[in-house]
Amino acid sequence: MPNDRGMKKYLPFSSLVEQSSELEKMLYEKRKISKPLISSENASKIDRILRTYNKEETYNFKLYFDGYIYNYSGKIKKIDNYKKIIYFKDFSLPIKNIIDIEDNDYLFDVC
């Protein structure tokens, strides 16, 4: 963790609940990153996987939301190409938030 001296000096003042929540918001905003760029090779791999997905296969997604990168592993239920949304069992995901997808077809990635 980088030196957060500026935030540490306010920690003694976090005795009130309101101050604590505001400090957490400040830290959340401070740690945000900009969306990583996707290479053309990676974009081609994402496109290939989304065009040929198997409903029974589990995929590992790297996602970008609100300044943070998350990992999700799950099965694709349906893809709406018109709305550009992927549907899973529990939620939906805009395709534009995908940074990377890993599948079990390692041979194709090498070729």
Side-chain angles (χ1 to χ4, degrees), residues 9-23:
K9 66 183 179 182
Y10 294 110
L11 289 178
F13 300 105
S14 66
S15 60
L16 297 175
V17 175
E18 295 85 15
Q19 291 173 333
S20 176
S21 65
E22 280 301 314
L23 287 174

Side-chain angles (χ1 to χ4, degrees), residues 39-98:
S39 67
S40 60
E41 294 85 12
N42 203 15
S44 296
K45 182 178 84 168
I46 293 170
D47 183 57
R48 174 188 60 80
I49 291 172
L50 293 180
R51 288 183 187 276
T52 62
Y53 77 96
N54 179 355
K55 289 184 178 185
E56 301 303 318
E57 187 173 350
T58 301
Y59 296 93
N60 299 315
F61 293 86
K62 190 180 280 190
L63 312 168
Y64 177 83
F65 283 114
D66 193 32
Y68 288 90
I69 295 177
Y70 301 96
N71 292 314
Y72 174 75
S73 183
K75 295 179 181 180
I76 298 172
K77 185 175 177 184
K78 174 184 150 185
I79 297 178
D80 186 338
N81 290 322
Y82 181 71
K83 294 180 181 178
K84 298 189 183 325
I85 296 177
I86 299 174
Y87 293 94
F88 299 94
K89 182 179 179 182
D90 300 331
F91 70 101
S92 60
L93 164 73
I95 293 175
K96 67 181 182 177
N97 291 6
I98 297 173

